[in-house]
Amino acid sequence: MTLVLLTALSFGMAAQQTLTLEDCRRMALENNKELDQARTKVEMAGYDRKIALANYFPNISATGAWLHNGRNLNLLPEDVSNGLTGMGTTIHGMKEQAMAEAMQAIQSNPELAQQLLQNPDFLQLVQKLQGMDYSQAINQIGSDIDKAFTIDIENIYVGVVSLQQPVFMGGKIIAANRIARLAEELAKTQYDQKYQEMLVDVDQSYWQIVSVANKLELAESYADLLHQMERDVQVAIDEGVSTESDGLQIKVKANEADMLRTKARNGLTLAKMLLCQRIGLPLDSEITLADEKLSDIPVPQAGPVKDMEAIYADRPETRSLDLAAQIYDGKVNVARADMMPKVILMANYLVTNPNLYHSYQKEFDGMWNAGVLVNIPIFHGFEALNKTRKAKAEATLYRTQLEDAREMISLQVTQLRKQRTEAEEKLAMAESNLENAEENLRKATIGFEAGVVETNVALAAQTAWLQAHSEYIDAGIELQMTQVNLGKAEGNYHVEE
């Protein structure tokens, strides 16, 4: 039983959270989705800067290819190729025909035929020539010659390693790197802006809750006071000292006070839900603010007066516009580079199979080469020129917007400084009025209890005290809100590193 009780108590303590303004800021910083997105954009801009930096380094690549062909390549015409492969057969046929013609010529001369046919050496020679067949050997020689003129391209392997080093690109690489650095700074500036907007929203929600909580406490005190008066008047009515009219007046005011208390409770619930949403807590979380129960609204201390140039430097809006103008100045140089010559050093090593350098043998071999590529633009419909002019116009546009932004910031800061002075004076007047209303209420309450002050006079004193106290709370919160807005206008919400 004791364990269960301790567990329930610890759960209730964990469920009820007391948060300071710094706690709310920290939790919002950890849970704000837009801030996470802005932080991711900063990271992406950093990668873009590294990508632009890579253009200074040589580009080294390796490429390989394999190609299968359906037939080989022969450098000889088809009739010559066929003649070489059948050259032995052709020569053998010519020999046989020549021998037949010689025998016919001998037989046509009987005397010569008788002499030769009776000569054993001639007969032996004829037999050797008839028995000799060298057609296959010559055919092989012809085939070898034909094969020497045939390139085996059934399977081709090619590999190349290339290097390209930019030497001069018209200033485009330098300009692109500068743009990438400025874009990264711009992303950081936009992150700063989201950061400041997040802090302002949290601060405003925080002080809004303090305002509503104080008004709720005020409404509860007012309602308790009226209900006490209602009970006192009822006793007086029962004793015949007061009239029913006095009782009805107080009851009406008590009902109004109850309604005011209900509205304040609902308003406090909604205000806390909004703060929970901004700091990443569930909407139904039970939270209590450290300044929620303060009887006096804390007065923010004014810091040293900032110079307008320092304010311009701290405001992310002006920094963003200034960076945007510089980025488009860089784009002018990028566009102008398209009209400049480009010089690139190149080196390659090529390897092939068949060997291109040794009679197309089936082996790998290669060679290297090096050179310089120069590209000079001549004419392309004035494209680069118009790109340059467009970039100049965009840079001018952002500079104009920057001047307008500086003027608006100067006006905003001046107005908020005046509003702060007015809010301080209003708070001092509200505090004085509250002191007078409290004294008037004290005297009216004493007189009412003594029976020398009428009911409507006591109710009027209570109403005046309620109004004075409400105005005091409003004046204190207005000063806090004005200080928050002035801090943002002066660029005092800095990103924590």
Side-chain angles (χ1 to χ4, degrees), residues 270-290:
L270 293 175
K272 287 187 176 181
M273 290 176 65
L274 177 60
L275 180 62
C276 288
Q277 187 270 333
R278 286 177 172 169
I279 64 177
L281 290 178
L283 298 183
D284 57 351
S285 299
E286 295 291 337
I287 62 173
T288 301
L289 304 186

Side-chain angles (χ1 to χ4, degrees), residues 161-354:
V161 178
S162 62
L163 180 147
Q164 294 183 349
Q165 174 62 57
V167 177
F168 179 73
M169 302 298 291
K172 178 179 286 189
I173 296 178
I174 297 175
N177 275 270
R178 183 170 182 271
I179 290 174
R181 288 194 300 270
L182 292 172
E184 185 178 16
E185 293 181 20
L186 179 60
K188 292 179 180 178
T189 302
Q190 293 172 345
Y191 172 81
D192 293 350
Q193 184 172 354
K194 292 291 184 183
Y195 181 93
Q196 293 187 14
E197 291 174 354
M198 180 270 297
L199 290 186
V200 169
D201 290 341
V202 170
D203 286 7
Q204 289 179 343
S205 297
Y206 184 92
W207 291 114
Q208 183 67 29
I209 292 175
V210 173
S211 173
V212 178
N214 276 269
K215 288 189 175 182
L216 173 60
E217 186 175 357
L218 177 62
E220 289 176 344
S221 299
Y222 180 57
D224 293 341
L225 181 61
L226 287 174
H227 284 298
Q228 182 61 44
M229 285 184 65
E230 185 180 5
R231 288 190 294 271
D232 294 341
V233 170
Q234 186 61 44
V235 173
I237 291 173
D238 294 340
E239 294 178 355
V241 179
S242 298
T243 64
E244 292 289 340
S245 177
D246 294 334
L248 291 175
Q249 289 182 21
I250 295 177
K251 184 172 291 187
V252 170
K253 288 294 184 179
N255 291 336
E256 292 178 355
D258 290 338
M259 182 60 67
L260 183 64
R261 179 169 54 186
T262 301
K263 288 182 178 180
R265 285 176 179 171
N266 293 336
L268 182 61
T269 300
L270 293 175
K272 287 187 176 181
M273 290 176 65
L274 177 60
L275 180 62
C276 288
Q277 187 270 333
R278 286 177 172 169
I279 64 177
L281 290 178
L283 298 183
D284 57 351
S285 299
E286 295 291 337
I287 62 173
T288 301
L289 304 186
D291 297 321
E292 187 174 325
K293 300 299 182 181
L294 293 180
S295 58
D296 295 327
I297 303 298
V299 178
Q301 298 298 321
V305 179
K306 291 183 66 173
D307 179 72
M308 288 306 302
E309 290 300 325
I311 293 175
Y312 296 148
D314 289 338
R315 283 291 294 265
E317 296 88 343
T318 52
R319 296 205 310 270
S320 295
L321 291 171
D322 183 44
L323 290 170
Q326 295 183 54
I327 287 174
Y328 278 99
D329 285 338
K331 288 188 175 183
V332 172
N333 295 330
V334 171
R336 188 182 292 120
D338 291 337
M339 297 184 288
M340 304 288 288
K342 283 86 174 174
V343 181
I344 300 175
L345 291 179
M346 297 186 306
N348 302 282
Y349 183 80
L350 176 68
V351 60
T352 63
N353 184 349

Side-chain angles (χ1 to χ4, degrees), residues 1 56 73 80-81 102 162 219 227 305 316 362 372 403 439 458 460 463:
M1 182 66 181
Y56 282 115
L73 181 65
V80 176
S81 177
S162 62
H227 284 298
V305 179
K362 296 295 291 184
V372 179
E403 293 300 321
E439 180 63 20
T463 302

Side-chain angles (χ1 to χ4, degrees), residues 38-49:
R39 192 181 297 111
T40 303
K41 290 180 180 179
V42 174
E43 183 181 358
M44 293 167 58
Y47 292 134
D48 287 337
R49 175 180 55 79

